[in-house]
Amino acid sequence: MASSMDTSLHGLTKALLRRVDESQDQNIGKAQNKDSSLSALVSTLVPVLVVAAVMTLLFLILRRSQRRQYAPRTYLGALREQERSPDLPKGLFNWIGSFYAIPDTFILNHSSLDGYLLLRFLKIVTAIAFVGCCITWPVLFPVNATGHGGQVQLNILSFSNVVDKNRYYAHVFIAWIFYGFVMLMVTREHIFYINLRQAYLLSPLYSQRMSSRTVLFTSVPDEFLDEAKLRRMFGNKLKNVWIATDTKDVEDLVKERDKTALKLEGAEIKLTKLANAARIKAHKKSRGRDDEATITGAGDGESGSVASRWLKPKQRPTHRTKFLIGKKVDTIDWARSELSTLIPQVDALQNAHRAGEAKYVNSVFVEFYSQAEAQAAFQMVAHHQALHMAPRFIGISPNEVIWKNLRIKWWERIIRNIATIAFVCALIIFWSIPVALVGIISHIDYIVPKVPFLKFIYKIPPVILGVVTGLLPTIMLAVLMALLPVVLRLAAKWGGMPSLSRIELRTQNFYFAFQVVQVFLVTTLSSAASASVVSIIQAPTSVTGLLAENLPKASTFYISYFILQGLAISSGALLQIAGLIISRVLGKILDKSPRKMYNRWATLSGLGWGTIFPVYTMLGVIAITYAPIAPLVLGFATIGMYLIYFAYRYNLLFVFNANIDTQGLVYPRALQGLTVGVYLGQLCLIGLFGIKAAPGPIVLMVAALIFTALYHISLNSAFGPLLTTLPKSLEAEEEALLSVEDGDYSPDGPMANPKGIHAVSAKNGTRDISSSSTGPVNKDLPAVPHKKPSFFMKWLRPDKYHDYHTLRRLVPRNFAEIVYSPETERDAYYNPAIKSPTPLLWIPRDPAGVSRQEVKHTSRITPITDEGAHFDEKNKIVWDAEQTGGRPPIWEPKTYF
């Protein structure tokens, strides 16, 4: 993910600099009526196409042999069988048919809702751009091309080539049609998302999970940090309560215990490796005569007695207890001694926190017996005082909780929220300054002749000047943009967000604001202004006319941008050259233990939804904004977005893993972002009409802008509550569907379960089998209550043809068995430090038996094993992926919280 993002930003920088230079060239030669837009397009397309072709060819070749890099989801033991993707053919091109045969819904069922909706969003933007071509090109191309504005090459197809004011009505009415289509698309996708979300969250796949039945209350008053009072408040609907505690003491101790344990593991590996190296050396001389006796008595004798056959005491692993000045000690003996003290201390502190014998902080996790009861608690007003026991959150997995933010009080949350928003706003405003400076540096050659005091720059040697104006701005802007996601996530975390998913959602808002300002507004205006800077200096009063002429020309930059995104970025995302180098080269250098080798092998790359969606939402905004101004952009947007969709589809099916679950909430926010393109497009047209003094088109576009705003307000008012809550009306519908699946539903009979949807038993936390069986019955659901519609009707009526009953069939019933052990239920929403077990140490087995003796003696203090890994004949560590089925001793099954 990080490498792909860096490549994208690097490409954006190059395109920005190229566009600035091109704009300058256009205006410097304006007297000669020169226009380099077409040559600039070709000069961008050809090298990018060559690079993309090379990367794609490398991908096609390497995917056949580098399965771990390009198809890990097909076989990794870290994934459950039902989470894996089907294998593709190994040929260069014969896999494409099988690839397309896998539906996008496979990702919904085997990976995540967020991943499926990312692909859908990319398809939606592609469809908007394609339909935009069909709407705008037949009308606006002829209107613009015959506009007698004196433009040539690509600019002849833009708004800037139109002189006759009456022709602007064509732009107005086409904008009405296209922007109306966009708003209709946003509306239908909201309907689709709401129905899909309801079907997904109400299905057994999700509703039986503990997170769907658990509500997090923040800013809880001290008097309600009491389990008995909470049980009186919620009655017998409440199942479990976890009151968050101040865990600094236990966190520090657990950190020290784990650090010491891993230090012991490293020392045991080092000892075994040194002894095995000495044994191999001696083996060459003795021809293995002593090996059998050594192995037979491996576990007997004093600690280290087997290793001492090959090593002297001074060769054993040692370290200093303090840096430089500490006492030098035997690492294995010291670590065993430390752990013998730390482990009981940690256990005692953990038990104290479980018993409530610790300082409480003002957040509480409350688990209910059913999802419906949890939804009722989530949607109600919990406390009579404002901002107390609020905000509330539901569906948060324990793995996503930001535990330090649970202590934040209501007044502190307000201050943090205001400070965070103010900081991001200031960042957006002032970030424009270094970005603008970078743009100035990149085309300083064209500014110097008109600004005399800068002529000293000509004294710089040409080679150095080329580096300053070419390479330096690229590096500067790449570094600036790479810092953004890190800074924004830190800001969201500091603002008090209680989970990783909420941080991603907040980051999505922040990063999209950056994209709008930096990628669109600053770039568009600076491109238009820089293209006119010489003429403005010569005739300042002509500023409005020059900007009106050159604003549409800025579209050339975005055409280059779509070329870069569609070709270079998509092919780079497929090749993943950085990940390949890290795994194949750095992994061999850095991974010196079976644990590190397994973690690198088993850990799949994740996606940061908060920074992925804004980038492609911004691409949609650019295409939508420029549709009536420079419709040629839509063609490149269609191709570019589809290629991006192809790359992400492959990676989501075979490479990436979803580490953070927003339950699809990133999707409606991205759809809302597309409406920004509608507003910006309408405002740009109003501004262009105003500069051209065309009152009729201005009035019509202002009316369209007002209508759009009113419609948008109504849309948000209608759909807002359904984006975050589940309706009561669907509970009975879901129970009926489950009864049909189980084969015990009678249309005339009552519902079997009076407790409500997906009630769980008090015994094991699974759904009450009196309602429906969790066995393999799973009969087909009845046919949808409507005939198969035409494509147009299906698109026009998502409320009917993409309703809950239809989309419910996309969600599997028996994807995974949701059963929790008593220990998991007891500790689910405790801080990880409270439930963290002593880590299992994992060392490789050696032929001489050193590892077996170390395991026997160390296991008296802490868990340790030498199974599943060994030293080969070259004394290199090998972990047995095939022998262990990809699940070594330290593997832990995934818990579906």
Side-chain angles (χ1 to χ4, degrees), residues 12-13 16-17 20 427-443 473-474 476-482 484 514 517-524 526 557:
L12 169 60
T13 305
L16 172 61
L17 301 181
V20 171
L427 204 60
I428 292 174
I429 295 171
F430 292 108
W431 205 279
S432 301
I433 296 175
V435 170
L437 290 175
V438 168
I440 291 174
I441 294 172
S442 68
H443 59 271
T474 301
M476 290 172 61
L477 192 56
V479 171
L480 284 172
M481 298 302 290
L484 275 178
F514 261 99
V517 174
Q518 300 298 335
V519 175
F520 183 81
L521 295 179
V522 171
T523 303
T524 299
S526 64
F557 161 74

Short mmCIF file of all heavy atoms in Angstrom, two decimals, residues 12-13 16-17 20 427-443 473-474 476-482 484 514 517-524 526 557:
data_model
loop_
_atom_site.label_atom_id
_atom_site.label_comp_id
_atom_site.label_asym_id
_atom_site.label_seq_id
_atom_site.Cartn_x
_atom_site.Cartn_y
_atom_site.Cartn_z
N LEU A 12 2.02 12.05 -9.85
CA LEU A 12 1.28 13.29 -9.80
C LEU A 12 2.22 14.49 -9.84
O LEU A 12 1.97 15.47 -10.54
CB LEU A 12 0.43 13.35 -8.51
CG LEU A 12 -0.21 14.70 -8.18
CD1 LEU A 12 -1.14 15.13 -9.30
CD2 LEU A 12 -0.97 14.62 -6.86
N THR A 13 3.31 14.40 -9.11
CA THR A 13 4.27 15.49 -9.10
C THR A 13 4.84 15.74 -10.48
O THR A 13 4.91 16.88 -10.95
CB THR A 13 5.42 15.17 -8.12
OG1 THR A 13 4.86 14.88 -6.85
CG2 THR A 13 6.36 16.34 -8.00
N LEU A 16 2.28 17.36 -12.69
CA LEU A 16 2.08 18.76 -12.32
C LEU A 16 3.18 19.63 -12.90
O LEU A 16 2.92 20.67 -13.50
CB LEU A 16 2.06 18.88 -10.78
CG LEU A 16 2.05 20.31 -10.22
CD1 LEU A 16 0.81 21.04 -10.67
CD2 LEU A 16 2.13 20.28 -8.69
N LEU A 17 4.42 19.20 -12.73
CA LEU A 17 5.53 20.00 -13.24
C LEU A 17 5.50 20.09 -14.76
O LEU A 17 5.78 21.14 -15.33
CB LEU A 17 6.86 19.39 -12.77
CG LEU A 17 7.01 19.28 -11.25
CD1 LEU A 17 8.35 18.69 -10.90
CD2 LEU A 17 6.85 20.64 -10.60
N VAL A 20 2.84 22.60 -15.83
CA VAL A 20 3.24 23.99 -15.63
C VAL A 20 4.15 24.44 -16.75
O VAL A 20 4.01 25.53 -17.31
CB VAL A 20 3.93 24.15 -14.25
CG1 VAL A 20 4.54 25.52 -14.11
CG2 VAL A 20 2.93 23.91 -13.13
N LEU A 427 -3.57 23.33 8.27
CA LEU A 427 -2.66 22.53 7.45
C LEU A 427 -3.02 22.65 5.98
O LEU A 427 -2.14 22.78 5.11
CB LEU A 427 -2.74 21.06 7.91
CG LEU A 427 -1.53 20.17 7.62
CD1 LEU A 427 -0.29 20.70 8.31
CD2 LEU A 427 -1.83 18.75 8.11
N ILE A 428 -4.33 22.60 5.69
CA ILE A 428 -4.77 22.71 4.30
C ILE A 428 -4.38 24.07 3.73
O ILE A 428 -3.87 24.17 2.60
CB ILE A 428 -6.29 22.52 4.21
CG1 ILE A 428 -6.67 21.08 4.55
CG2 ILE A 428 -6.80 22.90 2.82
CD1 ILE A 428 -8.15 20.83 4.62
N ILE A 429 -4.59 25.12 4.52
CA ILE A 429 -4.31 26.48 4.03
C ILE A 429 -2.82 26.68 3.83
O ILE A 429 -2.37 27.13 2.77
CB ILE A 429 -4.87 27.52 5.02
CG1 ILE A 429 -6.40 27.42 5.05
CG2 ILE A 429 -4.42 28.92 4.61
CD1 ILE A 429 -7.03 28.25 6.14
N PHE A 430 -2.04 26.35 4.84
CA PHE A 430 -0.62 26.66 4.78
C PHE A 430 0.18 25.64 3.99
O PHE A 430 1.30 25.92 3.60
CB PHE A 430 -0.06 26.81 6.20
CG PHE A 430 -0.60 28.02 6.91
CD1 PHE A 430 -1.50 27.89 7.95
CD2 PHE A 430 -0.22 29.30 6.53
CE1 PHE A 430 -2.02 28.99 8.59
CE2 PHE A 430 -0.72 30.41 7.17
CZ PHE A 430 -1.62 30.26 8.21
N TRP A 431 -0.40 24.46 3.77
CA TRP A 431 0.29 23.50 2.92
C TRP A 431 0.37 24.00 1.48
O TRP A 431 1.24 23.61 0.71
CB TRP A 431 -0.43 22.15 2.96
CG TRP A 431 0.45 20.98 2.65
CD1 TRP A 431 0.83 20.55 1.43
CD2 TRP A 431 1.06 20.08 3.58
NE1 TRP A 431 1.63 19.43 1.52
CE2 TRP A 431 1.77 19.13 2.85
CE3 TRP A 431 1.04 19.99 4.96
CZ2 TRP A 431 2.49 18.10 3.44
CZ3 TRP A 431 1.74 18.96 5.56
CH2 TRP A 431 2.46 18.04 4.81
N SER A 432 -0.55 24.86 1.12
CA SER A 432 -0.53 25.42 -0.23
C SER A 432 0.73 26.24 -0.48
O SER A 432 1.17 26.38 -1.63
CB SER A 432 -1.76 26.31 -0.44
OG SER A 432 -2.95 25.58 -0.25
N ILE A 433 1.30 26.80 0.58
CA ILE A 433 2.48 27.64 0.41
C ILE A 433 3.68 26.83 -0.08
O ILE A 433 4.26 27.18 -1.12
CB ILE A 433 2.79 28.38 1.73
CG1 ILE A 433 1.64 29.34 2.07
CG2 ILE A 433 4.11 29.14 1.62
CD1 ILE A 433 1.79 30.03 3.41
N PRO A 434 4.08 25.75 0.60
CA PRO A 434 5.21 24.98 0.06
C PRO A 434 4.90 24.34 -1.28
O PRO A 434 5.78 24.22 -2.13
CB PRO A 434 5.47 23.92 1.14
CG PRO A 434 4.23 23.85 1.94
CD PRO A 434 3.64 25.22 1.91
N VAL A 435 3.63 23.93 -1.51
CA VAL A 435 3.28 23.35 -2.80
C VAL A 435 3.42 24.40 -3.90
O VAL A 435 3.94 24.13 -4.99
CB VAL A 435 1.85 22.78 -2.77
CG1 VAL A 435 1.40 22.39 -4.17
CG2 VAL A 435 1.78 21.58 -1.85
N ALA A 436 2.96 25.63 -3.62
CA ALA A 436 3.10 26.70 -4.60
C ALA A 436 4.57 27.04 -4.87
O ALA A 436 4.96 27.30 -6.00
CB ALA A 436 2.34 27.94 -4.12
N LEU A 437 5.38 27.02 -3.81
CA LEU A 437 6.81 27.29 -3.98
C LEU A 437 7.46 26.22 -4.86
O LEU A 437 8.32 26.53 -5.69
CB LEU A 437 7.50 27.33 -2.61
CG LEU A 437 7.17 28.55 -1.74
CD1 LEU A 437 7.83 28.40 -0.37
CD2 LEU A 437 7.63 29.83 -2.41
N VAL A 438 7.03 24.98 -4.68
CA VAL A 438 7.55 23.91 -5.53
C VAL A 438 7.20 24.19 -6.99
O VAL A 438 8.03 24.02 -7.89
CB VAL A 438 7.00 22.55 -5.07
CG1 VAL A 438 7.30 21.47 -6.11
CG2 VAL A 438 7.58 22.15 -3.73
N GLY A 439 5.95 24.60 -7.23
CA GLY A 439 5.55 24.91 -8.60
C GLY A 439 6.35 26.06 -9.20
O GLY A 439 6.71 26.03 -10.37
N ILE A 440 6.65 27.07 -8.38
CA ILE A 440 7.45 28.21 -8.87
C ILE A 440 8.86 27.76 -9.23
O ILE A 440 9.41 28.13 -10.26
CB ILE A 440 7.48 29.32 -7.80
CG1 ILE A 440 6.09 29.94 -7.66
CG2 ILE A 440 8.50 30.39 -8.17
CD1 ILE A 440 5.99 30.94 -6.53
N ILE A 441 9.45 26.93 -8.36
CA ILE A 441 10.80 26.44 -8.63
C ILE A 441 10.85 25.67 -9.95
O ILE A 441 11.81 25.77 -10.72
CB ILE A 441 11.30 25.55 -7.47
CG1 ILE A 441 11.46 26.39 -6.19
CG2 ILE A 441 12.60 24.86 -7.82
CD1 ILE A 441 11.76 25.56 -4.96
N SER A 442 9.79 24.92 -10.23
CA SER A 442 9.80 24.05 -11.40
C SER A 442 9.81 24.84 -12.71
O SER A 442 10.28 24.34 -13.73
CB SER A 442 8.59 23.11 -11.36
OG SER A 442 7.40 23.85 -11.53
N HIS A 443 9.26 26.05 -12.74
CA HIS A 443 9.25 26.82 -13.98
C HIS A 443 9.87 28.20 -13.78
O HIS A 443 9.42 29.19 -14.32
CB HIS A 443 7.83 26.93 -14.55
CG HIS A 443 6.85 27.60 -13.62
ND1 HIS A 443 6.12 26.91 -12.70
CD2 HIS A 443 6.48 28.89 -13.49
CE1 HIS A 443 5.35 27.74 -12.03
NE2 HIS A 443 5.54 28.95 -12.49
N PRO A 473 12.11 19.77 -7.20
CA PRO A 473 10.67 19.91 -6.93
C PRO A 473 9.95 18.57 -6.83
O PRO A 473 9.04 18.42 -6.03
CB PRO A 473 10.17 20.73 -8.13
CG PRO A 473 11.37 21.44 -8.64
CD PRO A 473 12.52 20.51 -8.41
N THR A 474 10.36 17.61 -7.65
CA THR A 474 9.74 16.28 -7.60
C THR A 474 9.92 15.65 -6.23
O THR A 474 8.98 15.14 -5.62
CB THR A 474 10.34 15.37 -8.68
OG1 THR A 474 10.13 15.95 -9.96
CG2 THR A 474 9.73 13.99 -8.64
N MET A 476 10.74 17.19 -3.39
CA MET A 476 10.11 18.00 -2.35
C MET A 476 8.62 17.73 -2.24
O MET A 476 8.09 17.51 -1.14
CB MET A 476 10.36 19.49 -2.63
CG MET A 476 11.80 19.93 -2.44
SD MET A 476 12.07 21.63 -3.00
CE MET A 476 10.95 22.53 -1.92
N LEU A 477 7.93 17.71 -3.38
CA LEU A 477 6.49 17.50 -3.34
C LEU A 477 6.14 16.06 -2.97
O LEU A 477 5.15 15.81 -2.27
CB LEU A 477 5.87 17.85 -4.70
CG LEU A 477 4.35 17.95 -4.73
CD1 LEU A 477 3.84 18.94 -3.70
CD2 LEU A 477 3.85 18.32 -6.11
N ALA A 478 6.96 15.10 -3.39
CA ALA A 478 6.72 13.71 -3.01
C ALA A 478 6.82 13.52 -1.51
O ALA A 478 6.01 12.84 -0.88
CB ALA A 478 7.71 12.79 -3.73
N VAL A 479 7.84 14.15 -0.90
CA VAL A 479 8.00 14.05 0.55
C VAL A 479 6.84 14.73 1.27
O VAL A 479 6.28 14.19 2.24
CB VAL A 479 9.35 14.68 0.98
CG1 VAL A 479 9.43 14.78 2.50
CG2 VAL A 479 10.51 13.86 0.44
N LEU A 480 6.46 15.91 0.78
CA LEU A 480 5.35 16.63 1.41
C LEU A 480 4.06 15.80 1.37
O LEU A 480 3.37 15.66 2.39
CB LEU A 480 5.12 17.96 0.69
CG LEU A 480 6.12 19.09 0.98
CD1 LEU A 480 5.87 20.26 0.06
CD2 LEU A 480 6.02 19.53 2.43
N MET A 481 3.74 15.24 0.21
CA MET A 481 2.50 14.50 0.06
C MET A 481 2.54 13.16 0.80
O MET A 481 1.51 12.67 1.27
CB MET A 481 2.19 14.27 -1.41
CG MET A 481 1.98 15.55 -2.22
SD MET A 481 0.63 16.59 -1.58
CE MET A 481 -0.78 15.58 -2.01
N ALA A 482 3.73 12.55 0.90
CA ALA A 482 3.84 11.28 1.62
C ALA A 482 3.60 11.45 3.11
O ALA A 482 3.17 10.51 3.80
CB ALA A 482 5.21 10.66 1.37
N LEU A 484 1.38 13.41 4.43
CA LEU A 484 -0.01 13.74 4.72
C LEU A 484 -0.78 12.63 5.42
O LEU A 484 -1.40 12.86 6.47
CB LEU A 484 -0.73 14.13 3.44
CG LEU A 484 -0.59 15.59 3.01
CD1 LEU A 484 -1.31 15.82 1.71
CD2 LEU A 484 -1.12 16.51 4.08
N PHE A 514 -7.98 17.71 1.66
CA PHE A 514 -6.67 18.00 1.09
C PHE A 514 -6.67 17.78 -0.42
O PHE A 514 -6.11 18.60 -1.18
CB PHE A 514 -5.61 17.10 1.72
CG PHE A 514 -4.84 17.77 2.81
CD1 PHE A 514 -5.15 17.56 4.14
CD2 PHE A 514 -3.80 18.63 2.50
CE1 PHE A 514 -4.44 18.18 5.14
CE2 PHE A 514 -3.08 19.26 3.50
CZ PHE A 514 -3.40 19.03 4.83
N VAL A 517 -8.48 20.65 -2.24
CA VAL A 517 -7.75 21.92 -2.23
C VAL A 517 -6.45 21.81 -3.01
O VAL A 517 -6.16 22.63 -3.89
CB VAL A 517 -7.48 22.39 -0.79
CG1 VAL A 517 -6.60 23.62 -0.78
CG2 VAL A 517 -8.79 22.68 -0.07
N GLN A 518 -5.64 20.78 -2.72
CA GLN A 518 -4.30 20.71 -3.28
C GLN A 518 -4.28 20.15 -4.70
O GLN A 518 -3.61 20.70 -5.57
CB GLN A 518 -3.41 19.85 -2.38
CG GLN A 518 -3.27 20.37 -0.97
CD GLN A 518 -2.62 21.74 -0.93
OE1 GLN A 518 -1.88 22.11 -1.81
NE2 GLN A 518 -2.90 22.50 0.12
N VAL A 519 -5.00 19.06 -4.93
CA VAL A 519 -4.94 18.41 -6.24
C VAL A 519 -5.81 19.13 -7.26
O VAL A 519 -5.46 19.20 -8.43
CB VAL A 519 -5.35 16.93 -6.13
CG1 VAL A 519 -5.40 16.27 -7.50
CG2 VAL A 519 -4.39 16.19 -5.23
N PHE A 520 -6.93 19.71 -6.79
CA PHE A 520 -7.83 20.34 -7.75
C PHE A 520 -7.71 21.86 -7.76
O PHE A 520 -7.28 22.46 -8.74
CB PHE A 520 -9.28 19.94 -7.48
CG PHE A 520 -10.23 20.52 -8.49
CD1 PHE A 520 -10.39 19.92 -9.73
CD2 PHE A 520 -10.95 21.67 -8.22
CE1 PHE A 520 -11.25 20.46 -10.67
CE2 PHE A 520 -11.81 22.22 -9.15
CZ PHE A 520 -11.96 21.60 -10.39
N LEU A 521 -8.10 22.51 -6.65
CA LEU A 521 -8.18 23.97 -6.67
C LEU A 521 -6.84 24.62 -6.91
O LEU A 521 -6.69 25.46 -7.80
CB LEU A 521 -8.80 24.46 -5.35
CG LEU A 521 -10.25 24.04 -5.10
CD1 LEU A 521 -10.73 24.57 -3.76
CD2 LEU A 521 -11.15 24.54 -6.23
N VAL A 522 -5.83 24.25 -6.10
CA VAL A 522 -4.52 24.89 -6.24
C VAL A 522 -3.92 24.59 -7.61
O VAL A 522 -3.41 25.48 -8.30
CB VAL A 522 -3.57 24.42 -5.13
CG1 VAL A 522 -2.15 24.90 -5.39
CG2 VAL A 522 -4.05 24.94 -3.78
N THR A 523 -4.01 23.32 -8.03
CA THR A 523 -3.43 22.95 -9.32
C THR A 523 -4.14 23.62 -10.48
O THR A 523 -3.51 24.15 -11.39
CB THR A 523 -3.47 21.42 -9.49
OG1 THR A 523 -2.79 20.80 -8.41
CG2 THR A 523 -2.83 20.99 -10.80
N THR A 524 -5.48 23.60 -10.45
CA THR A 524 -6.23 24.21 -11.54
C THR A 524 -5.97 25.71 -11.63
O THR A 524 -5.66 26.25 -12.70
CB THR A 524 -7.74 23.96 -11.34
OG1 THR A 524 -7.99 22.56 -11.36
CG2 THR A 524 -8.54 24.62 -12.46
N SER A 526 -3.51 27.47 -10.23
CA SER A 526 -2.11 27.80 -10.49
C SER A 526 -1.73 27.51 -11.94
O SER A 526 -0.95 28.23 -12.54
CB SER A 526 -1.19 27.03 -9.54
OG SER A 526 -1.28 25.65 -9.79
N PHE A 557 -3.51 19.04 -17.93
CA PHE A 557 -2.82 18.42 -16.81
C PHE A 557 -3.56 17.19 -16.32
O PHE A 557 -2.98 16.14 -16.05
CB PHE A 557 -2.67 19.43 -15.67
CG PHE A 557 -2.39 18.79 -14.34
CD1 PHE A 557 -1.15 18.25 -14.07
CD2 PHE A 557 -3.38 18.69 -13.37
CE1 PHE A 557 -0.89 17.64 -12.86
CE2 PHE A 557 -3.14 18.08 -12.17
CZ PHE A 557 -1.88 17.56 -11.91
#
